[in-house]
Amino acid sequence: MAAGGTGSAKSFNFKVVLLGEGAVGKTSVVLRYVENKFNEKHISTLQASFLTKKLNIGGKRVNLAIWDTAGQERFHALGPIYYRDSNGAILVYDITDEDSFQKVKNWVKELRKMLGNDIALCIAGNKIDLEKERHVPVADAESYAASVGAKHFHTTAKLNKGIEEMFLDLSKRMIERQSEDTHKSTTTSRSNRTKTVTIVDDEPEQPSGGGCCGSS
Amino acid sequence: MCIHTRIMADSEDLDFNPFYKLLQTRFMNKFETAQKKCYLVCIPAATALQGININQNFVDTHILRPSPYFRSHYESTDKTGNKSIAIENGFVQTKDGFSVNTKIRILSEELSYNKDYKPFKILIIEKPLDPRFRTGNFVSLSPVDTYTNSISFQENKKLLFQFPEHRVPLSILDQNIKQFNMNYMILQGYLDHAAMKLQDMCFTATESILKVNRNTRRNADRRMVDILTIAVESYVMGCVHSKVFPAVCQKCCRDDNKICSKEKELQGVGGDEFGVKTEFCCPLPASVVELARLDGLYTPLEKLFCLKSTLDCISEEVNYFAKDNVVAGNEVPCIASDDLIPLLVTVLIQSKSTHLISNLYYIEHFHWATTSKDDLSFSLVTFKAATEYFLNTDFSHLKPLAPKMRNEMTLEEILLAKKEQENETGEKGERSRDSHKVAYRTRGGSFNRELDNITRMIEKTTTSPTNTTTPMKSLFAEYDQVQASGFAQRSTVVPPDVIPSSSAHTRLQTPLGDFLSSLKNDVLDGTYGKGD
């Protein structure tokens, strides 16, 4: 399959992987983000393994494909299958569970080793509604994130805080990376031999201003 | 977003909305002002814009500023600003200044930020805010909207050949295909070369077709390009299937055999043994039947869609079960990837696919027309993850559950159980005290009734064609044709553990057929969860 379609001047398609130990609330975070209160079909769906979200940032359209990654220990070896070709990663830990933060560190190490700096990272300290039970100090988490080139966010899916900001920041950074990579092919191939057919829009752009059809 | 099946489903995609396009070109200044001032932008769905005159008045009516007086109320941005709307419970309610006051459904909201990253709203609405804009044939739908979904080889072939202007490029393509089928020798270990050759063939043909196609020449709608790119690939791969797929099967035969023998060993092992959560432990007959189609399909595209529809079936069946069994007051749990892998393992085992690894290899290496970031790609990755887990994990300690403890029964087991039950009825009294029959009896009449229903349905679906008025269609009909034409990799076709009742696509559209619904609605006393 082709790895193409990452974007054009006005639209971007990004793959974001979601990583984190069970029970840290990663599913709740992403469901909260993609929920579409206007779409009944969307509300009734119960799968959280593949979700999408459309954004419009400064006139550029961004399609996020959010891939949930099998995070249980027994599936650990499957990680690379999931995060291949991803543009961004959200690593979620539970602020009341120090071990879940350690797991995030392991994931970061692995992602950096396998994908280098090609991937934008966000670390989410989730469940800040349980601040009293915090076991991961804020300073530790933030300094760790900075040390690995990631952004740290304080989130709570329960109260819907910090989540939109996190995805916006990740999207901004993925757009920046994509723009930096414009010298490379926009359809970087998995196998370095993918071809795409380019088309030229020969519909002349109309000048901005009043319409040509007159008022109704 | 490449496959045009999604184009139909995703009619609200702004990339293909005529009004949104005009906001980025002719009315760009207005749209930039709207973003800067964080106004509300209401965009009617593309299908509702046919025949609409999109002029300055239309734009000013659909870009609205927040009311200084009331929350959730907005005013039009024309000179007088005399039109107002309110957003209420998922609807836009038009108020002052409109020819009629109506409620218009909000289809979706696109999370939007301006250049300073301040949020503003773009709402995709069912129709324009005022019906009086429908005054002439100004906006027409893109030609792409007139094409129906094409997944199968035959549909794509028909699509390509319906354009008379494709005659020359297609005749060149046919010659290339013929040459490949007759002269190209696929060598073991050089499948990549074959893939590259076929990809080049597709690319060259697509380029030639796009140059002559009347729709792509007239406008640059990316969707039409995608439709034709996919159609060419589907056509080429369908034509070379009987040459390429056996070579793929030969390459992957070791892993295919390993999967097959593991499938046999693990027949009857309950889902909970593979780590399926108790709340998701249920029979998945529609998913098994869907996956059982895989070996009989021709092209990588068809096969890829089969993987996706299998995952969709799993989600659907598990959702039904979870919703029916959720404890009042609790939330229905979501299926995450950690759940999907063990669920898929149980489906793999029951579907008895003989060339699973070959199929995955075939899709991965001989399909180029879709992106690696969409839901189809996610389906392929999930299958790869599940098969890798299945191949590399030692399940030898798992033992099949006793038939009476299991949720799923094979066809043979159901018929056997029925026979036993009939014998038992004939010898009532003596055997009624046998301890191992207590479970049957405690489940009482409901079990017997259900068993009767299932048996009747099995008998109905397995009746000889000569005894039925409607002709039976083999699940493996396409495959049989391929076999007849020389492809004989699959020596024996093993039926899946459930009875296919109709074509898989029909099943997908109508969630569960009679047979499956009756399984779902069964009245067995026991639950489908872990047998304890």
Side-chain angles (χ1 to χ4, degrees):
Chain A
M1 286 174 73
T6 48
S8 64
K10 283 181 179 170
S11 75
F12 296 90
N13 293 320
F14 294 128
K15 172 178 167 181
V16 176
V17 283
L18 191 63
L19 297 153
E21 214 188 359
V24 296
K26 59 176 177 159
T27 305
S28 307
V29 165
V30 75
L31 280 176
R32 176 66 92 170
Y33 183 61
V34 303
E35 75 179 346
N36 184 348
K37 51 185 179 285
F38 300 116
N39 187 338
E40 284 166 28
K41 192 182 162 201
H42 196 266
I43 292 165
S44 68
T45 184
L46 291 171
Q47 72 87 21
S49 52
F50 178 87
L51 295 159
T52 56
K53 181 80 179 176
K54 285 175 185 166
L55 303 175
N56 200 313
I57 303 176
K60 288 173 179 155
R61 304 201 60 240
V62 179
N63 297 316
L64 298 182
I66 305 167
W67 292 41
D68 179 40
T69 301
Q72 286 177 9
E73 202 59 48
R74 62 184 176 139
F75 301 134
H76 189 82
L78 309 176
I81 300 177
Y82 281 95
Y83 53 68
R84 188 180 183 183
D85 282 333
S86 48
N87 305 93
I90 303 268
L91 301 113
V92 189
Y93 71 93
D94 175 354
I95 62 159
T96 68
D97 176 5
E98 206 174 340
D99 192 46
S100 70
F101 183 58
Q102 193 54 46
K103 289 267 165 42
V104 162
K105 288 181 176 176
N106 296 343
W107 280 114
V108 169
K109 211 181 281 177
E110 191 173 321
L111 287 173
R112 287 289 183 223
K113 188 179 160 195
M114 305 297 284
L115 302 174
N117 288 322
D118 291 344
I119 186 167
L121 303 181
C122 274
I123 298 175
N126 195 34
K127 302 191 185 176
I128 55 163
D129 49 298
L130 303 174
E131 189 60 46
K132 284 178 187 166
E133 296 163 48
R134 178 184 277 279
H135 278 91
V136 180
V138 174
D140 288 5
E142 287 183 343
S143 66
Y144 169 73
S147 72
V148 294
K151 280 273 180 79
H152 186 277
F153 287 86
H154 304 278
T155 61
T156 159
K158 194 175 176 185
L159 306 176
N160 195 12
K161 282 187 180 161
I163 299 170
E164 276 191 21
E165 292 88 326
M166 177 172 68
F167 277 97
L168 173 62
D169 180 84
L170 187 69
S171 302
K172 277 156 61 179
R173 284 190 290 138
M174 290 189 296
I175 292 171
E176 279 164 19
R177 275 165 203 263
Q178 192 80 61
S179 306
E180 283 168 15
D181 290 347
T182 43
H183 65 280
K184 293 179 189 171
S185 166
T186 50
T187 53
T188 308
S189 166
R190 281 179 190 173
S191 54
N192 293 323
R193 59 175 177 75
T194 299
K195 292 180 174 181
T196 54
V197 179
T198 51
I199 48 166
V200 181
D201 194 342
D202 48 31
E203 191 178 299
E205 293 238 330
Q206 302 279 345
S208 68
C212 62
C213 305
S215 300
S216 64
Chain B
M1 185 69 66
C2 277
I3 300 281
H4 57 295
T5 46
R6 256 86 51 81
I7 291 163
M8 299 300 172
D10 217 358
S11 59
E12 301 127 45
D13 195 327
L14 294 185
D15 279 339
F16 308 109
N17 185 293
F19 179 37
Y20 186 74
K21 275 185 180 175
L22 287 174
L23 286 179
Q24 291 182 306
T25 50
R26 195 187 305 164
F27 302 107
M28 194 171 67
N29 286 348
K30 178 83 183 184
F31 188 44
E32 282 189 347
T33 307
Q35 290 181 62
K36 200 173 169 188
K37 297 191 173 177
C38 298
Y39 287 168
L40 170 72
V41 183
C42 290
I43 300 188
T47 46
L49 286 171
Q50 203 170 11
I52 297 286
N53 179 12
I54 299 179
N55 55 21
Q56 193 64 49
N57 186 21
F58 184 93
V59 176
D60 292 342
T61 304
H62 288 82
I63 292 182
L64 304 109
R65 66 171 74 90
S67 160
Y69 309 111
F70 306 107
R71 206 177 155 209
S72 297
H73 283 226
Y74 298 84
E75 296 167 349
S76 59
T77 50
D78 50 2
K79 280 176 193 159
T80 51
N82 62 352
K83 294 173 191 158
S84 67
I85 63 155
I87 295 182
E88 297 165 350
N89 305 322
F91 287 86
V92 174
Q93 172 73 59
T94 58
K95 292 189 176 286
D96 301 332
F98 289 91
S99 61
V100 281
N101 284 353
T102 53
K103 268 173 110 176
I104 297 157
R105 198 157 64 92
I106 300 170
L107 300 174
S108 62
E109 179 181 349
E110 191 157 291
L111 200 51
S112 308
Y113 302 89
N114 64 18
K115 283 177 181 158
D116 300 322
Y117 302 112
K118 284 185 183 155
F120 70 99
K121 276 186 181 170
I122 294 183
L123 297 180
I124 292 104
I125 55 175
E126 203 172 19
K127 55 187 180 185
L129 291 174
D130 200 321
R132 74 192 165 106
F133 287 115
R134 191 174 290 276
T135 53
N137 194 21
F138 291 93
V139 172
S140 57
L141 289 179
S142 164
V144 74
D145 292 312
T146 59
Y147 296 106
T148 51
N149 306 345
S150 303
I151 297 167
S152 75
F153 167 68
Q154 287 301 341
E155 286 168 334
N156 279 307
K157 184 180 172 184
K158 198 175 156 195
L159 178 92
L160 280 180
F161 281 84
Q162 80 180 59
F163 296 96
E165 64 267 33
H166 291 177
R167 197 175 54 84
V168 176
L170 283 178
S171 103
I172 297 169
L173 179 61
D174 278 339
Q175 275 178 11
N176 290 337
I177 291 169
K178 195 176 166 191
Q179 207 165 26
F180 179 88
N181 279 334
M182 286 174 68
N183 303 333
Y184 186 83
M185 187 181 280
I186 301 178
L187 297 172
Q188 268 283 5
Y190 289 91
L191 271 174
D192 275 353
H193 185 266
M196 205 186 299
K197 197 168 174 58
L198 288 167
Q199 192 186 6
D200 283 344
M201 197 192 292
C202 291
F203 180 77
T204 310
T206 307
E207 216 171 32
S208 311
I209 283 170
L210 291 178
K211 272 182 196 158
V212 296
N213 182 277
R214 57 174 179 257
N215 293 311
T216 52
R217 272 170 59 202
R218 225 179 287 147
N219 67 58
D221 192 328
R222 181 80 225 175
R223 293 174 298 173
M224 195 63 208
V225 176
D226 292 337
I227 285 173
L228 292 172
T229 307
I230 284 164
V232 169
E233 183 202 287
S234 183
Y235 178 64
V236 170
M237 291 313 299
C239 290
V240 302
H241 174 84
S242 58
K243 185 180 179 96
V244 176
F245 194 62
V248 172
C249 290
Q250 212 174 344
K251 181 185 168 62
C252 303
C253 70
R254 224 178 99 194
D255 282 343
D256 274 337
N257 291 340
K258 205 171 159 191
I259 290 257
C260 283
S261 63
K262 270 195 141 176
E263 281 170 357
K264 275 180 200 156
E265 282 167 24
L266 294 165
Q267 286 299 322
V269 175
D272 55 312
E273 298 275 358
F274 295 104
V276 176
K277 282 181 193 162
T278 313
E279 53 267 45
F280 294 152
C281 262
C282 64
L284 300 166
S287 316
V288 173
V289 171
E290 185 56 24
L291 185 57
R293 292 170 59 235
L294 186 66
D295 286 346
L297 298 170
Y298 272 177
T299 66
L301 181 73
E302 290 172 295
K303 287 174 186 282
L304 184 55
F305 266 90
C306 178
L307 302 188
K308 184 183 177 305
S309 52
T310 302
L311 293 183
D312 290 344
C313 279
I314 292 177
S315 291
E316 200 172 312
E317 290 183 299
V318 169
N319 281 350
Y320 268 114
F321 177 77
K323 276 182 185 168
D324 283 353
N325 292 281
V326 70
V327 178
N330 285 4
E331 273 188 24
V332 183
C334 277
I335 304 171
S337 286
D338 281 326
D339 306 309
L340 205 48
I341 291 176
L343 282 165
L344 189 50
V345 165
T346 63
V347 172
L348 293 182
I349 292 169
Q350 289 177 68
S351 72
K352 298 177 182 171
S353 172
T354 49
H355 294 297
L356 187 62
I357 301 293
S358 302
N359 280 311
L360 299 183
Y361 183 95
Y362 191 47
I363 296 167
E364 196 178 3
H365 293 83
F366 290 88
H367 171 61
W368 317 278
T370 59
T371 81
S372 65
K373 299 184 196 298
D374 61 7
D375 49 352
L376 286 170
S377 177
F378 177 77
S379 305
L380 176 63
V381 162
T382 304
F383 267 84
K384 280 175 67 184
T387 46
E388 190 151 319
Y389 173 67
F390 185 59
L391 269 175
N392 300 322
T393 309
D394 179 17
F395 295 115
S396 57
H397 60 286
L398 301 183
K399 295 279 176 273
L401 290 167
K404 64 177 179 179
M405 308 277 278
R406 291 210 315 261
N407 297 331
E408 306 92 7
M409 291 175 89
T410 66
L411 167 61
E412 294 82 5
E413 284 168 350
I414 291 172
L415 292 170
L416 192 69
K418 175 69 185 164
K419 209 172 174 184
E420 273 184 26
Q421 187 210 349
E422 281 168 1
N423 289 342
E424 186 192 351
T425 320
E427 302 165 20
K428 58 176 137 174
E430 283 301 310
R431 292 178 65 189
S432 63
R433 287 176 208 93
D434 290 357
S435 57
H436 72 282
K437 295 287 176 192
V438 169
Y440 275 9
R441 237 172 307 285
T442 50
R443 284 175 174 182
S446 62
F447 178 86
N448 294 339
R449 215 166 35 243
E450 196 61 23
L451 197 53
D452 278 341
N453 285 340
I454 293 172
T455 317
R456 253 199 311 279
M457 276 183 281
I458 289 171
E459 280 166 1
K460 227 186 255 178
T461 51
T462 53
T463 313
S464 157
T466 52
N467 299 333
T468 56
T469 49
T470 50
M472 280 186 69
K473 193 183 168 202
S474 164
L475 181 67
F476 302 102
E478 287 185 40
Y479 171 76
D480 292 342
Q481 285 168 13
V482 177
Q483 249 193 346
S485 67
F487 169 43
Q489 284 294 310
R490 185 176 171 149
S491 52
T492 51
V493 177
V494 188
D497 274 356
V498 287
I499 312 300
S501 55
S502 62
S503 87
H505 289 293
T506 317
R507 257 193 320 280
L508 277 178
Q509 282 153 9
T510 50
L512 296 173
D514 290 347
F515 175 65
L516 302 178
S517 300
S518 70
L519 286 179
K520 186 178 110 38
N521 302 324
D522 82 14
V523 286
L524 296 181
D525 291 347
T527 65
Y528 281 124
K530 188 176 178 178
D532 45 41

